[in-house]
Amino acid sequence: MTSPDANLFSALRAGFPADLDTVAIATADATPLHYSWRDLERGTAMLANLLDSLALPAGSRVAVQTEKSVEALMLYLAVLRAGLVYLPLNTAYQRDEVAYFIGNAEPAVVVCTRRSFGWVSRLAFAAGCTHVFTLDDDRSGSLLQRAAVHSDRHAPARRAAGDLAAILYTSGTTGRSKGAMLTHGNLLSNARVLKAYWGWRPGDVLIHVLPIFHVHGLFVASHGALLNGSRMLWFNRFDPRAVIARLPEATVFMGVPTLYVRLLGEATLTRAACAQMRLFVSGSAPLLIETFDRFRERTGHTILERYGMSETVMLTSNPYEASAGERRGGTVGFALPGVGVRVRDDAGAPCPTGAIGNLQVRGPNVFQGYWRLPEKTAEEFSADGWFRTGDVGRIDAQGYVSIVGRSKDLIISGGFNVYPAEVEASLNELPGVAESAVIGVPHPDFGEAVVAVVVARPAGAPDAAALVAELKLRIANFKVPKCVFVVDALPRNMMGKVQKNLLREQHRDLFA
Ligand code: AMP
């Protein structure tokens, strides 16, 4: 007996509305383009036929480093449709990084911009890849030219739930980036859970502003809209003012915390502007309580914060329905249906309710392992099959999960454990502090010393000595930073994550 088809593309397509001539995606450009569901159907068929015509071996990777565009989204869908493995690359990656990914993943097809074709194709050919196409965000490039001669009908490849759909290289704020292998089943189970949990409904319109090389924009946002047959208002780039102007046409917005801060920076963000909206989702990095509160005061909407990672797609979410509980700022909500989340100490023993420990997870969403790293993969799973997220957190008696930090960010100073997030929370409450990042740097006596990097509020920079004095009244002495630096901004990657590795590097020799 053959197993039922579990191709993610086919499942997403089943969510398209009956009338394929309605608008699926409208771009937010000055001269907007309107893509119907039929355009998506035909465009992905032509691209899938092009991929089929290359007669690639099963499991071939298609690596893509292009600017965001609707065509790039179609390429992702076409790779699923053809049963190949999609490998998106952050547009910020430079030559050495791309060389590493291409060498590591050995893609059969590489798609890049016309500008980068020279050096990318040399890297690809050197790694044995013979198919390099170009795609720019103005619909130019060889990919679409080549696809145009192919049929607009295509029978999606049959795939089992356990077949690979995508490899996402982790964003690498610590250590070298690893390829997380996600299956059709991982992605579809998560998309279905989120559709129900976040109450996707007919008439929803999603404002899509996130990059599509990352789990948040590619999977959470796009799958949500496609599976629900919902229109997307498509921004290739985030422009807070332009987004606010379009809120009255939309119902759902998904962003990373920095995007919310930028929206709040616009006077046009008002209750009236958000009157049609039903859901604002935040994730990928911690949302400051202050942003959460200010957004609620300004718009009347309570941001729903969720937590996930490349290896697992979404794990927890604050409730959508009020009957399931309040959306609690500073927490990432409850484990999603079907997902297990538990807290273990460093020896692997269960932690008491509310105690801080290592977050471990399991569920149909959890990835198959790191690409070509079986030993690293085995290390990251417990003996009873739970994935060690590397995040440190706690679960309270009601089931709300809070993230306290990354285990690799944990500072051990003079033998005491210091959780950066706790020190950051105390610092952020002090006058003059907009936000902060706390790191550990080598210290001859303490092993590591706690150091804080603080962003001042526009009203005036705080005095570092005064901050230290105030902290001494609030938290244990071993947690108080030995040094406080006041800066204009923290280094962040494109998903809004603070790059603590850069800060650690910068201050490495402070106590040498
Ligand atoms: P990535 O694989 O790039 O999506 O990064 C995943 C990591 O981002 C997680 O392991 C967390 O450390 C962090 N993260 C994601 N969502 C949140 C959140 N809502 N709050 C705090 N950290 C988060």
Side-chain angles (χ1 to χ4, degrees), residues 174-391:
T174 49
R176 187 125 232 198
S177 192
K178 305 178 287 289
M181 299 189 288
L182 294 156
T183 64
H184 288 264
N186 291 148
L187 298 174
L188 182 56
S189 68
N190 208 239
R192 288 196 166 133
V193 164
L194 292 179
K195 175 171 152 79
Y197 204 76
W198 291 346
W200 280 92
R201 59 181 70 152
D204 267 337
V205 175
L206 169 79
I207 296 200
H208 195 303
V209 295
L210 291 162
I212 55 169
F213 53 73
H214 183 266
V215 48
H216 199 166
L218 183 65
F219 299 150
V220 184
S222 306
H223 290 172
L226 293 168
L227 192 61
N228 193 52
S230 288
R231 182 149 45 94
M232 289 189 249
L233 241 171
W234 187 267
F235 287 78
N236 285 350
R237 274 160 287 276
F238 177 71
D239 170 350
R241 207 166 291 182
V243 166
I244 294 166
R246 306 301 291 270
L247 287 173
E249 296 163 53
T251 61
V252 181
F253 175 86
M254 298 188 191
V256 297
T258 26
L259 301 193
Y260 285 99
V261 173
R262 291 186 55 197
L263 288 174
L264 281 164
E266 299 295 330
T268 50
L269 183 76
T270 58
R271 259 167 210 263
C274 299
Q276 293 303 312
M277 294 292 294
R278 72 169 183 85
L279 178 61
F280 287 92
V281 176
S282 175
S284 298
L287 181 72
L288 290 178
I289 274 282
E290 193 212 349
T291 312
F292 176 87
D293 288 341
R294 281 177 61 211
F295 199 85
R296 181 149 62 187
E297 279 158 28
R298 182 89 75 83
T299 67
H301 285 274
T302 307
I303 297 174
L304 179 154
E305 185 170 5
R306 95 298 177 281
Y307 156 61
M309 58 198 305
S310 303
E311 290 91 334
T312 63
V313 215
M314 294 304 102
L315 293 162
T316 74
S317 170
N318 270 281
Y320 174 70
E321 299 292 350
S323 58
E326 59 165 348
R327 294 181 203 162
R328 201 169 285 175
T331 84
V332 292
F334 305 124
L336 284 165
V339 176
V341 181
R342 70 183 189 185
V343 186
R344 288 289 186 264
D345 67 17
D346 289 341
C351 291
T353 304
I356 292 177
N358 303 302
L359 293 178
Q360 300 186 351
V361 299
R362 71 170 176 195
N365 51 313
V366 174
F367 75 139
Q368 304 308 294
Y370 293 111
W371 173 252
R372 289 182 177 163
L373 292 172
E375 281 159 22
K376 181 78 194 155
T377 301
E379 271 172 32
E380 302 297 341
F381 282 86
S382 68
D384 57 348
W386 291 63
F387 173 60
R388 304 182 215 273
T389 60
D391 289 310

Side-chain angles (χ1 to χ4, degrees), residues 74-95:
M74 285 204 230
L75 172 59
Y76 161 59
L77 297 172
V79 171
L80 295 175
R81 186 168 187 158
L84 300 172
V85 180
Y86 191 69
L87 197 166
L89 293 174
N90 189 327
T91 42
Y93 288 144
Q94 300 298 317
R95 202 171 300 229

Side-chain angles (χ1 to χ4, degrees), residues 409-413 416-420 438-441 448-451:
D409 292 339
L410 176 74
I411 304 164
I412 305 183
S413 187
F416 291 110
N417 284 4
V418 180
Y419 295 104
V438 168
I439 53 168
V441 303
E448 279 185 300
V450 180
V451 169

